[in-house]
Amino acid sequence: MWDDRYNRPDYFYGKQPNDFVRQVCPQIPKGNILCLAEGEGRNAVYLAQQGYRVTAVDASEVGIAKAQRLAAEHGVPLRTIVADLAEFEIQPQSWDGIVSIFCHLPPPLRAQIHRQGVEGLRPGGVFVLEAYTPAQLNFKTGGPPVADLMMDWPTLQQELAGLTFTIGEELERDIHEGIGHRGHSAVVQVFGVKPAV
């Protein structure tokens, strides 16, 4: 499905970074960043432009190839991995930041990835997430068609246990990201910090 979605000359979700990523970028410690389900690379390339060492993971070879082209277009290095997140292992205490933007997974896999994500952060590292909530089904402006793949703040607090949250809220906002996300939307935003031991 994702190869088909990305197999087009333009970028399905645009080339500009997600608004929330841009907002919190100054609070992300410099270092190694892992971008989950990164697709065509817009967030990873933006972070690389800000001086981060970025690794982008996605199941779509087509998406990852476009991410590499976007990185080359901007003259920044980008490490990419083609992998299904069900088979990808986040190494413990390896990352200064993990970025998950509209990474909608079945609940058991999502919980596993979030648990690994918390373990994968170094002390002081941050977890950045934006996703659609079930209320997004009322707007139909992007995201999966079923509530099971959406997220809410109480569930994320449990799945990301061990972090200290400076941002954790559900809200409505207008999103304009290519043709894939366009219009008024219901989202949850999370910025969590792994406490220094």
mmCIF file of all heavy atoms in Angstrom, residues 6 9 20 27 29 36 38 44 55 62 66 81 86 96 111 122 142 149-150 167 171 178:
data_model
loop_
_atom_site.group_PDB
_atom_site.id
_atom_site.type_symbol
_atom_site.label_atom_id
_atom_site.label_comp_id
_atom_site.label_asym_id
_atom_site.label_seq_id
_atom_site.Cartn_x
_atom_site.Cartn_y
_atom_site.Cartn_z
ATOM 1 N N TYR A 6 3.372 6.229 -2.351
ATOM 2 C CA TYR A 6 4.533 7.098 -2.563
ATOM 3 C C TYR A 6 5.037 7.096 -4.006
ATOM 4 O O TYR A 6 5.898 7.897 -4.361
ATOM 5 C CB TYR A 6 5.677 6.685 -1.633
ATOM 6 C CG TYR A 6 5.373 6.847 -0.163
ATOM 7 C CD1 TYR A 6 5.849 5.928 0.769
ATOM 8 C CD2 TYR A 6 4.621 7.921 0.307
ATOM 9 C CE1 TYR A 6 5.586 6.080 2.121
ATOM 10 C CE2 TYR A 6 4.349 8.073 1.652
ATOM 11 C CZ TYR A 6 4.832 7.150 2.556
ATOM 12 O OH TYR A 6 4.568 7.296 3.889
ATOM 13 N N PRO A 9 5.387 11.467 -8.658
ATOM 14 C CA PRO A 9 6.481 12.438 -8.753
ATOM 15 C C PRO A 9 6.512 13.446 -7.605
ATOM 16 O O PRO A 9 7.582 13.871 -7.182
ATOM 17 C CB PRO A 9 6.226 13.135 -10.099
ATOM 18 C CG PRO A 9 4.804 12.843 -10.442
ATOM 19 C CD PRO A 9 4.483 11.532 -9.817
ATOM 20 N N PHE A 20 4.476 20.300 14.352
ATOM 21 C CA PHE A 20 4.857 19.998 15.731
ATOM 22 C C PHE A 20 6.351 19.722 15.828
ATOM 23 O O PHE A 20 7.018 20.154 16.782
ATOM 24 C CB PHE A 20 4.036 18.825 16.263
ATOM 25 C CG PHE A 20 4.245 18.536 17.719
ATOM 26 C CD1 PHE A 20 4.033 19.505 18.683
ATOM 27 C CD2 PHE A 20 4.652 17.263 18.142
ATOM 28 C CE1 PHE A 20 4.221 19.242 20.039
ATOM 29 C CE2 PHE A 20 4.835 16.992 19.485
ATOM 30 C CZ PHE A 20 4.628 17.982 20.437
ATOM 31 N N GLN A 27 14.008 22.078 21.362
ATOM 32 C CA GLN A 27 14.105 21.376 22.649
ATOM 33 C C GLN A 27 14.666 19.956 22.512
ATOM 34 O O GLN A 27 14.813 19.256 23.513
ATOM 35 C CB GLN A 27 12.718 21.297 23.296
ATOM 36 C CG GLN A 27 12.068 22.657 23.544
ATOM 37 C CD GLN A 27 10.600 22.495 23.892
ATOM 38 O OE1 GLN A 27 10.245 21.805 24.829
ATOM 39 N NE2 GLN A 27 9.732 23.139 23.124
ATOM 40 N N PRO A 29 17.609 17.471 22.127
ATOM 41 C CA PRO A 29 19.062 17.540 22.302
ATOM 42 C C PRO A 29 19.796 17.161 21.020
ATOM 43 O O PRO A 29 19.354 16.271 20.294
ATOM 44 C CB PRO A 29 19.346 16.532 23.425
ATOM 45 C CG PRO A 29 18.091 15.812 23.696
ATOM 46 C CD PRO A 29 16.966 16.480 22.995
ATOM 47 N N LEU A 36 10.664 7.249 13.064
ATOM 48 C CA LEU A 36 9.899 6.023 12.818
ATOM 49 C C LEU A 36 8.853 6.243 11.729
ATOM 50 O O LEU A 36 8.214 7.289 11.678
ATOM 51 C CB LEU A 36 9.192 5.590 14.108
ATOM 52 C CG LEU A 36 10.082 5.307 15.317
ATOM 53 C CD1 LEU A 36 9.232 5.077 16.552
ATOM 54 C CD2 LEU A 36 10.981 4.094 15.051
ATOM 55 N N GLU A 38 9.023 6.931 8.623
ATOM 56 C CA GLU A 38 9.357 8.274 8.140
ATOM 57 C C GLU A 38 8.918 8.531 6.710
ATOM 58 O O GLU A 38 8.935 9.672 6.243
ATOM 59 C CB GLU A 38 10.866 8.515 8.315
ATOM 60 C CG GLU A 38 11.395 9.821 7.803
ATOM 61 C CD GLU A 38 10.672 11.066 8.346
ATOM 62 O OE1 GLU A 38 9.957 10.980 9.356
ATOM 63 O OE2 GLU A 38 10.834 12.130 7.726
ATOM 64 N N ALA A 44 12.775 13.917 8.701
ATOM 65 C CA ALA A 44 14.176 13.511 8.863
ATOM 66 C C ALA A 44 15.117 14.506 8.186
ATOM 67 O O ALA A 44 16.147 14.886 8.747
ATOM 68 C CB ALA A 44 14.376 12.106 8.281
ATOM 69 N N THR A 55 18.538 8.962 11.470
ATOM 70 C CA THR A 55 18.245 7.673 10.844
ATOM 71 C C THR A 55 16.746 7.594 10.616
ATOM 72 O O THR A 55 15.963 7.792 11.553
ATOM 73 C CB THR A 55 18.698 6.503 11.741
ATOM 74 O OG1 THR A 55 20.106 6.581 11.945
ATOM 75 C CG2 THR A 55 18.355 5.162 11.099
ATOM 76 N N VAL A 62 10.061 2.597 -1.780
ATOM 77 C CA VAL A 62 9.793 3.779 -2.611
ATOM 78 C C VAL A 62 9.894 5.047 -1.769
ATOM 79 O O VAL A 62 10.518 6.032 -2.164
ATOM 80 C CB VAL A 62 8.400 3.671 -3.274
ATOM 81 C CG1 VAL A 62 8.065 4.954 -4.041
ATOM 82 C CG2 VAL A 62 8.340 2.468 -4.205
ATOM 83 N N LYS A 66 12.756 8.154 -1.955
ATOM 84 C CA LYS A 66 12.404 9.575 -2.081
ATOM 85 C C LYS A 66 13.008 10.380 -0.928
ATOM 86 O O LYS A 66 13.401 11.540 -1.111
ATOM 87 C CB LYS A 66 10.877 9.729 -2.130
ATOM 88 C CG LYS A 66 10.293 9.219 -3.439
ATOM 89 C CD LYS A 66 8.773 9.268 -3.451
ATOM 90 C CE LYS A 66 8.250 10.645 -3.753
ATOM 91 N NZ LYS A 66 6.783 10.658 -3.922
ATOM 92 N N ILE A 81 16.837 3.144 6.584
ATOM 93 C CA ILE A 81 16.672 1.699 6.758
ATOM 94 C C ILE A 81 15.288 1.322 6.259
ATOM 95 O O ILE A 81 14.285 1.906 6.689
ATOM 96 C CB ILE A 81 16.813 1.288 8.235
ATOM 97 C CG1 ILE A 81 18.196 1.656 8.780
ATOM 98 C CG2 ILE A 81 16.543 -0.207 8.419
ATOM 99 C CD1 ILE A 81 18.336 1.475 10.285
ATOM 100 N N ALA A 86 7.566 -4.059 12.835
ATOM 101 C CA ALA A 86 7.342 -5.300 13.594
ATOM 102 C C ALA A 86 8.630 -6.108 13.718
ATOM 103 O O ALA A 86 8.764 -6.938 14.627
ATOM 104 C CB ALA A 86 6.258 -6.146 12.929
ATOM 105 N N ASP A 96 19.220 10.085 21.118
ATOM 106 C CA ASP A 96 18.957 11.341 21.830
ATOM 107 C C ASP A 96 17.541 11.845 21.554
ATOM 108 O O ASP A 96 17.021 12.686 22.288
ATOM 109 C CB ASP A 96 19.989 12.390 21.408
ATOM 110 C CG ASP A 96 21.402 11.926 21.739
ATOM 111 O OD1 ASP A 96 21.733 11.873 22.945
ATOM 112 O OD2 ASP A 96 22.161 11.593 20.804
ATOM 113 N N ALA A 111 2.264 -0.518 21.170
ATOM 114 C CA ALA A 111 2.713 -0.571 22.565
ATOM 115 C C ALA A 111 4.146 -1.102 22.654
ATOM 116 O O ALA A 111 4.958 -0.602 23.440
ATOM 117 C CB ALA A 111 1.762 -1.439 23.381
ATOM 118 N N ARG A 122 18.545 7.665 25.403
ATOM 119 C CA ARG A 122 19.555 7.923 26.422
ATOM 120 C C ARG A 122 18.950 8.837 27.486
ATOM 121 O O ARG A 122 17.959 9.534 27.221
ATOM 122 C CB ARG A 122 20.767 8.616 25.789
ATOM 123 C CG ARG A 122 21.479 7.770 24.747
ATOM 124 C CD ARG A 122 22.727 8.462 24.232
ATOM 125 N NE ARG A 122 23.437 7.614 23.298
ATOM 126 C CZ ARG A 122 23.729 7.948 22.044
ATOM 127 N NH1 ARG A 122 23.383 9.130 21.575
ATOM 128 N NH2 ARG A 122 24.383 7.115 21.269
ATOM 129 N N GLY A 142 -7.428 12.947 6.725
ATOM 130 C CA GLY A 142 -6.165 12.218 6.754
ATOM 131 C C GLY A 142 -6.213 11.131 7.811
ATOM 132 O O GLY A 142 -7.103 11.121 8.665
ATOM 133 N N LEU A 149 -6.558 2.184 15.113
ATOM 134 C CA LEU A 149 -5.210 2.622 14.745
ATOM 135 C C LEU A 149 -4.900 4.038 15.220
ATOM 136 O O LEU A 149 -3.784 4.514 15.052
ATOM 137 C CB LEU A 149 -5.031 2.528 13.226
ATOM 138 C CG LEU A 149 -5.097 1.111 12.642
ATOM 139 C CD1 LEU A 149 -4.984 1.153 11.125
ATOM 140 C CD2 LEU A 149 -3.999 0.222 13.226
ATOM 141 N N MET A 150 -5.909 4.697 15.805
ATOM 142 C CA MET A 150 -5.701 6.051 16.326
ATOM 143 C C MET A 150 -5.133 5.973 17.752
ATOM 144 O O MET A 150 -5.045 4.896 18.344
ATOM 145 C CB MET A 150 -7.018 6.820 16.333
ATOM 146 C CG MET A 150 -7.801 6.762 15.038
ATOM 147 S SD MET A 150 -7.099 7.795 13.759
ATOM 148 C CE MET A 150 -8.498 7.967 12.646
ATOM 149 N N ILE A 167 4.821 18.102 27.176
ATOM 150 C CA ILE A 167 3.624 18.302 26.352
ATOM 151 C C ILE A 167 2.891 16.981 26.270
ATOM 152 O O ILE A 167 3.495 15.946 25.987
ATOM 153 C CB ILE A 167 3.981 18.785 24.929
ATOM 154 C CG1 ILE A 167 4.728 20.126 24.960
ATOM 155 C CG2 ILE A 167 2.708 18.913 24.066
ATOM 156 C CD1 ILE A 167 5.258 20.566 23.604
ATOM 157 N N LEU A 171 -5.883 17.868 20.814
ATOM 158 C CA LEU A 171 -6.366 19.159 20.330
ATOM 159 C C LEU A 171 -6.838 19.026 18.894
ATOM 160 O O LEU A 171 -6.600 18.003 18.231
ATOM 161 C CB LEU A 171 -5.266 20.222 20.425
ATOM 162 C CG LEU A 171 -4.032 20.045 19.520
ATOM 163 C CD1 LEU A 171 -3.427 21.396 19.177
ATOM 164 C CD2 LEU A 171 -2.973 19.169 20.205
ATOM 165 N N GLY A 178 1.049 18.254 2.123
ATOM 166 C CA GLY A 178 0.818 17.633 0.820
ATOM 167 C C GLY A 178 -0.664 17.414 0.576
ATOM 168 O O GLY A 178 -1.507 18.164 1.074
#
